[in-house]
Amino acid sequence: MNRSSTRGIFLSIVVLFSITIIAFPSMAYGEEITVNSIALEETSVLELTNDSNENVNTVRMWLGSDFSFMSFKTEKGWVGEKNAQGVIIFTTSEPIKPGESVKFGVKTDKPNPGINWQALDSKNAEMSIGKSIPKALPNVTENPELDQNLNNIDESISTESIFRIIPEKPNVGSTIRVTGENFGSSQELDFYIDTKKIGTFVTDQNGHFITTMKIPDDQKADRVDLLIKDKEGKEKKISLRIEEEKSRTTPTQDIPLTVQGIPSVIHRGDFLEIFGTGQPNSGVTIEITGPDGEVVRTRTAQSSNKGDWALEPLLVPLDRPFGKYTGIVSDGRNSRTESWTVESDKTIIIIPTSLKFEPGETMRFNGTALPNKPIELILESPFGKEVKSDIIQVEDSGIVEFEFPTTQNTIEGTYTLIATQEKKKEFTYAGLGMLPVTPVNLEFDKLNYKATDTATITLSGKASEVISLLIVDPGDKPKGDAVSIKLQPDGRGKHSLDLKGYSSGVYTAVVSKGSAQSSEIFTVGLATGSGKIDINTTKLNYKAGDSILVLGETGPNVLLTLTMLNPDGDEIKVKETFSDKSGKITEDEFRIPSNAESGTWVINAKSGSNFDNAKVEVVTSILEGMAVVAEKGQNIPGSGDTIMIKVFGATANVKIEIIAEDGEVIDSLFGIITKTGEIAQLWIISPDTEPGSYTIKVTNPTDSAETTFEIQ
């Protein structure tokens, strides 16, 4: 049996430690490209050093699902862009030559993130990929120009920040437009009238914002300070006088009693906001009787001096009997009778255990869905950011449970739970620190259209309200004027969008009501099957609940279908997506289910007759010792194919041996343990290694583990 005289070659993927810096070198080219990172709270500085023989033209960075980029800075000559998936792509016309380095600054929403990175050459081919975990920030003085720029990352409000309101002489109860510039990039800011918080908004990447705010009806007509504050207490303010309400309604006026927000058909688990008009400054009551004639609920509200009233939000209980219900609404002078029917045609019914949770409590959701099928649950913050998600295999009972622990610092507002099972999608709302309000949402009937199609958009929001729909073209410019759409009494609506005259590309639809808005991407004229597909994941081994970032390449502007399969070949999630104009694929909406089974999981990418698979190993059991897995690694030009070896649950450094079928040890190495108890090694298969079955055995003084793999 002829075996390599030089044996197999191990490339160690180990952590480079120092007092202040920790970095991960590339898996593909060893230590030819390195990224060192240092951090102070939410701000990190990453330095990429190119010790390879090729130029670095592009650098990508992304975070885990629990972190988000808030802003970034680059050295002169570099341009950064954050795409819809949260990946920052840095490009330059002056590439990093061998022996040179470049620094990047990023700010995240939480301190000390692990930052994934990927270096690409002039042909957008991957040169290296890794993950950098920053530690304490030392005194950095190598690049004063960049350091000065990085200091500005924390300046959400600076001396150059300005804002104004329209109109300049607002009235009590009126809606104003607030616009500003020279604020920090992608910063969350609060708007105050004196000491009262009115609302929250987020600046764009250029530090600009336009939002609307409503001056409360009970605001005193007087000189006030209008302030914009950041989370650290920095502020910018202007002083002006708020005038009396232009047309204050007197209590003697006869305002008709109206009721809105009650659709003709209601389902268990529905969230209702009932409101209307009546006599000013009077009490409004609603008494609801069920199918048996018994009173099931009574609620009261107080009308304003203009006659507007609104009940606290109602949640239809999961055990509410089906049938016809009647509500008698009275303002003390007039009364109205409204009728509706409680029916059941929903397969997903999930509600919060309380409409209002307090910071520090655990938000809990319970309900039912189709049994023995997976369901995806995504919880979004008041700003539409995913804060937790999971894929659950529903058992025979059909019961679904989901929870999200909060702290005293968790953002307050309306949280949206999006439940998706098969092709059904339902939204559920709960408030943190306040009662929830119905946000505006939109959904297209499909992702891609022909230029001759008419797209159907499903809209949702508060009952009978008027919302605005704007289309943004591939060049980030508005396509035509915004369209006003009035929602139905049940808060739903549909809009037909004629795509005649739309060129091929990626579009964004933005629906808004006041300062609240939601957006959705759709495409026109994209094709399938336009070339070879090559996908991979950022790591090969995952645990239950881990998110998966899928990266890849194919032809430009190509439609793809990504499918996640468990070890039994069952489809767990299917997602339609597309490549960008450079052919890059980036998709971060996949996650290993919390109740996943151990084994090899597959991400399949398909477009027409072209496809590719990325395999990942999932370890879900609580290890009472070590476990080792082996996966096919990357092909390194000039060296050959590789095997990625990963060790879990190690308590000490290990010895790794490659053993042939006849028991001969053909290679061995001393493996160094990381803080997480994991060890990663890349083994290069020598060209003269014979095909067959091989065993990987790992040992330390207290434990051992082994696995087998095949060489074709």
Side-chain angles (χ1 to χ4, degrees):
M1 182 176 183
N2 181 28
R3 298 195 180 97
S4 169
S5 60
T6 59
R7 306 298 188 184
I9 304 171
F10 279 100
L11 290 182
S12 300
I13 305 175
V14 296
V15 184
L16 303 177
F17 290 98
S18 71
I19 295 177
T20 59
I21 296 177
I22 179 171
F24 285 76
S26 161
M27 295 183 197
Y29 289 87
E31 298 182 356
E32 293 183 349
I33 295 179
T34 58
V35 173
N36 293 335
S37 60
I38 48 181
L40 177 63
E41 297 178 344
E42 292 85 4
T43 301
S44 300
V45 181
L46 296 93
E47 182 176 17
L48 184 147
T49 302
N50 182 14
D51 292 324
S52 72
N53 296 323
E54 302 292 335
N55 292 343
V56 177
N57 291 70
T58 302
V59 177
R60 295 181 179 180
M61 295 184 189
W62 65 94
L63 301 168
S65 60
D66 296 332
F67 291 86
S68 295
F69 286 117
M70 303 302 292
S71 57
F72 56 84
K73 291 289 183 180
T74 67
E75 287 192 8
K76 187 176 181 181
W78 284 78
V79 176
E81 178 184 1
K82 186 169 76 170
N83 65 19
Q85 288 76 32
V87 179
I88 299 179
I89 303 173
F90 295 104
T91 56
T92 181
S93 58
E94 302 175 1
I96 311 173
K97 298 177 181 178
E100 295 181 345
S101 64
V102 63
K103 288 183 180 179
F104 305 97
V106 297
K107 183 177 180 182
T108 54
D109 57 345
K110 287 179 284 189
N112 300 322
I115 301 175
N116 303 287
W117 58 268
Q118 181 187 42
L120 306 173
D121 62 17
S122 59
K123 297 180 180 179
N124 280 326
E126 179 183 299
M127 299 177 63
S128 185
I129 189 170
K131 183 174 183 179
S132 181
I133 303 176
K135 278 196 171 182
L137 179 68
N139 295 324
V140 182
T141 57
E142 291 183 19
N143 192 331
E145 180 180 347
L146 176 63
D147 293 341
Q148 181 62 42
N149 288 336
L150 292 175
N151 290 334
N152 294 334
I153 293 179
D154 288 322
E155 292 185 355
S156 53
I157 300 178
S158 67
T159 56
E160 298 180 354
S161 302
I162 58 172
F163 76 97
R164 65 189 183 96
I165 68 164
I166 304 170
E168 296 180 349
K169 296 181 179 180
N171 301 93
V172 172
S174 66
T175 298
I176 60 175
R177 176 175 293 181
V178 187
T179 178
E181 56 188 23
N182 297 329
F183 287 81
S185 172
S186 303
Q187 297 292 316
E188 179 186 321
L189 303 172
D190 299 321
F191 182 76
Y192 284 79
I193 298 180
D194 289 331
T195 59
K196 184 176 182 179
K197 181 179 174 180
I198 304 300
T200 302
F201 59 92
V202 178
T203 63
D204 63 19
Q205 292 185 357
N206 299 316
H208 177 73
F209 69 85
I210 299 177
T211 186
T212 57
M213 297 289 170
K214 186 178 185 301
I215 297 177
D217 294 331
D218 58 359
Q219 173 67 44
K220 184 179 179 181
D222 201 350
R223 175 165 287 277
V224 298
D225 288 333
L226 303 183
L227 303 98
I228 291 178
K229 294 184 178 182
D230 64 12
K231 302 307 179 185
E232 283 74 41
K234 293 182 182 179
E235 63 181 43
K236 204 75 176 178
K237 72 178 180 179
I238 57 176
S239 298
L240 51 76
R241 175 173 292 278
I242 295 180
E243 306 292 339
E244 289 281 356
E245 192 172 3
K246 285 186 176 180
S247 55
R248 185 177 296 274
T249 306
T250 63
T252 58
Q253 260 187 295
D254 187 16
I255 304 296
L257 178 63
T258 62
V259 181
Q260 298 188 68
I262 304 179
S264 58
V265 176
I266 293 175
H267 305 88
R268 289 174 174 176
D270 276 0
F271 176 79
L272 303 177
E273 291 179 292
I274 302 175
F275 60 99
T277 62
Q279 289 303 304
N281 301 311
S282 65
V284 177
T285 63
I286 179 171
E287 185 179 81
I288 302 174
T289 57
D292 57 1
E294 297 291 329
V295 176
V296 298
R297 183 176 281 179
T298 300
R299 289 290 180 92
T300 61
Q302 182 71 27
S303 63
S304 68
N305 56 10
K306 296 197 299 183
D308 297 325
W309 60 269
L311 297 179
E312 288 190 356
L314 301 175
L315 198 61
V316 181
L318 297 180
D319 59 355
R320 180 68 76 210
F322 300 127
K324 185 177 181 180
Y325 288 74
T326 301
I328 300 176
V329 184
S330 173
D331 64 359
R333 180 178 299 185
N334 302 303
S335 64
R336 287 177 59 98
T337 300
E338 302 286 336
S339 298
W340 61 92
T341 302
V342 175
E343 297 181 356
S344 177
D345 62 358
K346 290 185 176 182
T347 59
I348 304 172
I349 304 175
I350 301 175
I351 64 173
T353 57
S354 174
L355 277 177
K356 179 183 177 182
F357 297 92
E358 295 300 331
E361 293 183 337
T362 296
M363 303 178 73
R364 290 186 170 87
F365 300 82
N366 299 322
T368 59
L370 293 176
N372 303 313
K373 295 182 181 294
I375 184 171
E376 182 179 38
L377 302 169
I378 299 175
L379 186 66
E380 293 186 347
S381 73
F383 299 106
K385 174 190 172 185
E386 177 185 315
V387 294
K388 184 178 180 181
S389 66
D390 198 0
I391 298 176
I392 300 172
Q393 182 67 29
V394 183
E395 298 182 352
D396 294 341
S397 64
I399 294 175
V400 177
E401 296 178 339
F402 184 82
E403 62 182 38
F404 172 62
T406 70
T407 68
Q408 295 296 327
N409 297 322
T410 303
I411 297 173
E412 297 184 12
T414 298
Y415 283 73
T416 303
L417 180 67
I418 306 172
T420 306
Q421 189 179 46
E422 294 186 328
K423 294 186 178 181
K424 299 289 185 180
K425 181 180 291 187
E426 296 292 342
F427 297 84
T428 302
Y429 311 107
L432 184 65
M434 58 175 283
L435 287 168
V437 295
T438 306
V440 291
N441 283 302
L442 77 161
E443 184 178 7
F444 282 81
D445 57 331
K446 57 182 180 179
L447 173 64
N448 186 60
Y449 300 88
K450 299 177 182 177
T452 56
D453 287 345
T454 297
T456 299
I457 307 174
T458 301
L459 305 156
S460 64
K462 189 174 180 180
S464 303
E465 72 178 353
V466 177
I467 61 178
S468 176
L469 174 67
L470 178 67
I471 306 299
V472 180
D473 69 16
D476 290 332
K477 297 179 181 179
K479 186 169 180 60
D481 297 327
V483 177
S484 296
I485 304 169
K486 184 175 182 180
L487 299 179
Q488 300 169 2
D490 62 354
R492 299 179 183 273
K494 286 189 180 294
H495 179 74
S496 296
L497 179 64
D498 186 0
L499 300 177
K500 184 178 180 180
Y502 277 59
S503 59
S504 296
V506 180
Y507 293 79
T508 303
V510 181
V511 62
S512 60
K513 173 65 178 180
S515 59
Q517 71 174 32
S518 180
S519 63
E520 193 75 22
I521 290 175
F522 68 99
T523 63
V524 176
L526 301 194
T528 59
S530 297
K532 178 185 176 182
I533 300 173
D534 184 16
I535 64 165
N536 57 75
T537 58
T538 55
K539 59 180 183 177
L540 295 174
N541 301 278
Y542 294 83
K543 299 176 183 178
D546 283 353
S547 61
I548 301 175
L549 176 63
V550 180
L551 301 175
E553 293 183 359
T554 186
N557 292 333
V558 172
L559 282 173
L560 303 104
T561 299
L562 298 182
T563 305
M564 182 167 70
L565 306 168
N566 68 13
D568 296 328
D570 301 323
E571 290 186 0
I572 301 302
K573 180 173 180 177
V574 179
K575 177 73 166 57
E576 281 191 296
T577 187
F578 53 88
S579 61
D580 63 19
K581 58 186 178 181
S582 300
K584 300 300 179 184
I585 304 168
T586 306
E587 183 56 62
D588 63 353
E589 292 190 14
F590 284 89
R591 181 180 294 272
I592 301 297
S594 60
N595 55 356
E597 57 182 298
S598 298
T600 301
W601 289 59
V602 175
I603 305 292
N604 171 266
K606 190 176 190 306
S607 180
S609 60
N610 303 109
F611 70 92
D612 190 30
N613 290 326
K615 295 182 179 181
V616 299
E617 200 71 25
V618 176
V619 179
T620 60
S621 58
I622 299 176
L623 301 175
E624 296 181 355
M626 289 190 298
V628 58
V629 295
E631 284 286 348
K632 182 179 179 181
Q634 302 178 17
N635 179 280
I636 299 179
S639 297
D641 292 334
T642 63
I643 296 293
M644 171 60 70
I645 304 170
K646 200 74 173 283
V647 182
F648 299 94
T651 58
N653 296 332
V654 299
K655 180 181 181 181
I656 302 176
E657 296 177 313
I658 309 296
I659 305 172
E661 288 182 283
D662 61 0
E664 180 183 354
V665 177
I666 66 170
D667 214 333
S668 64
L669 187 74
F670 186 70
I672 301 176
I673 189 173
T674 66
K675 289 184 177 180
T676 61
E678 297 181 4
I679 298 170
Q681 301 286 355
L682 195 66
W683 183 58
I684 299 179
I685 304 172
S686 175
D688 56 358
T689 301
E690 291 188 356
S693 178
Y694 291 79
T695 298
I696 298 175
K697 184 177 180 180
V698 297
T699 58
N700 64 22
T702 61
D703 207 350
S704 66
E706 61 182 50
T707 188
T708 60
F709 66 95
E710 298 287 331
I711 294 180
Q712 301 288 325

